[in-house]
């Protein structure tokens, strides 16, 4: 038999997590048994050949259910149902992408909206949105979705590392972004113990006349960095007689923290988890190129006589 379409995987995936926390291998076996897939079915590959159809579908189902906040990933490779997922199963016996659109978080993700809106609910025209797009617009939206999913996975992977690894990561990123790196030892992670609130330093010139000081905090995604923590970092900069600082976290910042840095007479840049993931993708830190698609156009010069 052919491997079922992507949407057919949604309900059994969610249902499986209602029984217990499911590991990746357990989920794959559950789906194989659920659809009675043969070894031949499981070996069928996507058009690009980079993955099997089963694994590709499972990966996207995981992302869709995470975006709809019906499951979460409490630790690497483990899927757990949320209360929203339990509530849905209590009153439904099927699940399609269209059903996920009732949740603002997923609707925002699926439509590419910048912020979730309660008015973004399911309607009869929702499925026709992509049909109204040009092929270029569809490609751009698909690319945006893939990048968003990659960013979410990057943050999850980063949270699984040690704080010391994270400090090295942010220094590597800033060097890739063009800060320091023009001479040997132009960037370093400070001593792990007694670092006086400074996790890394970028030396912008050999004499050390202009330095950038870094604070790196690997916090859970639902954590918020507040004004007091930024004040402490500002004080650490004062001790170094520094005027430039970068505070990077995997979580987010409070409104008060953002307002505070705007009033300082020194420059402190705040980078939250979403920005961190986007910069990592842009500057190829912790990611590699899987596939390149070239979009070509007519070369008018060639046809001019």
């Amino acid at each position: 038999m052919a491997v079922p379409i992507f949407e057919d995987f949604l309900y059994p995936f969610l249902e499986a997590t209602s029984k217990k926390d499911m590991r990746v291998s357990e989920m794959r076996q559950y789906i194989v048994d659920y659809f009675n897939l043969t070894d031949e079915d499981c070996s069928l590959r996507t058009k690009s050949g980079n993955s099997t159809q089963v694994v590709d579908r499972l990966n996207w189902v995981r992302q869709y259910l995470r975006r709809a906040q019906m499951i979460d990933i409490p630790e690497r490779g483990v899927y757990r149902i949320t209360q929203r997922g339990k509530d849905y199963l209590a009153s439904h016996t099927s699940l399609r992408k269209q059903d996920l659109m009732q949740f603002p978080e997923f609707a925002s993700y699926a439509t590419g909206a910048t912020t979730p809106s309660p008015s973004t609910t399911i309607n009869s025209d929702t499925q026709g949105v992509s049909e109204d797009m040009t092929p270029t617009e569809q490609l751009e939206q698909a690319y945006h979705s893939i990048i968003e999913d990659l960013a979410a996975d990057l943050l999850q992977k980063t949270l699984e590392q040690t704080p010391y690894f994270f400090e090295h990561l942010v220094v590597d990123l800033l060097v890739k972004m063009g800060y320091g790196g023009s001479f040997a030892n132009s960037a370093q992670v400070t001593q792990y113990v007694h670092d006086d609130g400074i996790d890394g330093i970028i030396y912008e010139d050999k004499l050390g006349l202009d330095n950038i000081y870094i604070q790196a905090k690997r916090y859970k995604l639902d954590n918020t960095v507040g004004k007091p923590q930024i004040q402490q970092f500002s004080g650490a900069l004062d001790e170094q007689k520094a005027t430039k600082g970068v505070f990077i976290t995997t979580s987010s910042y409070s409104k008060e923290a953002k307002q505070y840095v705007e009033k300082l007479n020194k420059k402190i840049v705040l980078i939250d988890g979403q920005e961190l993931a986007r910069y990592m993708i842009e500057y190829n830190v912790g990611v590699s190129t899987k596939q390149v698609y070239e979009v070509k156009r007519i070369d008018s010069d060639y046809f001019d006589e």
Side-chain angles (χ1 to χ4, degrees):
M1 62 172 287
V3 177
I5 64 173
F6 160 72
E7 285 189 306
D8 290 343
F9 281 60
L10 287 167
Y11 188 82
F13 190 112
L14 183 62
E15 186 180 46
T17 61
S18 70
K19 304 177 187 299
K20 67 167 191 171
D21 288 357
M22 298 288 287
R23 295 194 172 275
V24 174
S25 58
E26 293 175 320
M27 180 61 76
R28 183 182 181 281
Q29 190 58 52
Y30 181 89
I31 291 297
V32 168
D33 295 340
Y34 184 91
F35 290 114
N36 295 315
L37 298 177
T38 65
D39 290 342
E40 183 179 0
D41 296 329
C42 294
S43 66
L44 292 174
R45 305 194 73 80
T46 59
K47 289 183 179 180
S48 68
N50 291 321
S51 177
T52 65
Q53 293 181 11
V54 171
V55 170
D56 184 64
R57 283 161 171 69
L58 285 173
N59 286 341
W60 280 106
V61 167
R62 176 201 65 193
Q63 296 291 6
Y64 274 37
L65 294 180
R66 276 180 70 188
R67 290 291 181 170
Q69 297 187 10
M70 300 179 89
I71 67 167
D72 60 24
I73 301 179
E75 60 182 278
R76 182 180 180 182
V78 175
Y79 310 134
R80 176 179 296 170
I81 194 169
T82 63
Q83 188 59 50
R84 175 180 284 181
K86 293 177 182 178
D87 293 342
Y88 183 90
L89 288 178
S91 56
H92 297 81
T93 56
S94 65
L95 178 60
R96 316 300 286 180
K97 178 182 177 181
Q98 186 79 347
D99 299 319
L100 299 178
M101 294 297 289
Q102 67 184 284
F103 304 114
E105 299 86 356
F106 181 82
S108 173
Y109 160 73
T111 60
T114 54
T115 56
S117 170
S119 62
T120 311
T121 54
I122 185 172
N123 60 65
S124 59
D125 295 330
T126 303
Q127 287 182 317
V129 171
S130 62
E131 296 176 0
D132 294 334
M133 294 181 178
T134 67
T136 299
E137 290 170 332
Q138 291 180 32
L139 181 61
E140 290 173 348
Q141 180 168 310
Y143 176 77
H144 173 79
S145 296
I146 291 171
I147 290 298
E148 287 292 314
D149 291 327
L150 175 57
D153 284 344
L154 266 178
L155 279 181
Q156 181 67 36
K157 189 70 175 178
T158 300
L159 285 171
E160 295 168 3
Q161 311 307 313
T162 65
Y164 188 60
F165 180 93
F166 182 57
E167 292 171 5
H168 278 276
L169 184 155
V170 299
V171 169
D172 288 344
L173 175 61
L174 290 173
V175 170
K176 284 286 189 71
M177 292 175 71
Y179 298 97
S182 60
F183 56 92
N185 301 318
S186 61
Q188 69 176 49
V189 173
T190 57
Q191 184 179 353
Y192 191 54
V193 181
H194 306 307
D195 59 14
D196 296 323
I198 303 297
D199 296 322
I201 305 173
I202 301 288
Y203 301 99
E204 295 195 280
D205 61 85
K206 289 186 177 182
L207 298 180
L209 297 175
D210 202 5
N211 301 335
I212 300 174
Y213 292 82
I214 306 163
Q215 177 74 274
K217 292 298 183 184
R218 185 185 58 91
Y219 289 146
K220 291 183 178 180
L221 301 183
D222 58 358
N223 185 79
T224 300
V225 177
K227 178 180 175 181
Q229 289 165 288
I230 306 303
Q231 287 176 315
Q232 290 175 6
F233 180 51
S234 178
L237 294 181
D238 290 337
E239 290 184 11
Q240 301 293 332
K241 298 181 180 179
T243 59
K244 296 179 182 178
V246 181
F247 196 114
I248 302 180
T249 182
T250 49
S251 59
S252 59
Y253 297 97
S254 68
K255 181 180 179 181
E256 293 75 18
K258 295 176 181 178
Q259 291 175 338
Y260 174 73
V261 297
E262 293 176 355
K263 300 175 182 178
L264 292 174
N265 57 7
K266 64 176 74 71
K267 184 64 176 179
I268 295 181
V269 175
L270 305 181
I271 298 178
D272 63 20
Q274 296 299 319
E275 292 173 309
L276 170 64
R278 287 198 296 270
Y279 284 137
M280 289 176 67
I281 294 170
E282 181 179 353
Y283 292 95
N284 294 311
V285 176
V287 298
S288 59
T289 301
K290 181 178 181 181
Q291 186 80 23
V292 176
Y293 297 93
E294 292 186 352
V295 178
K296 301 186 178 182
R297 61 178 178 82
I298 292 291
D299 182 357
S300 301
D301 293 339
Y302 177 84
F303 291 96
D304 287 344
E305 295 185 350

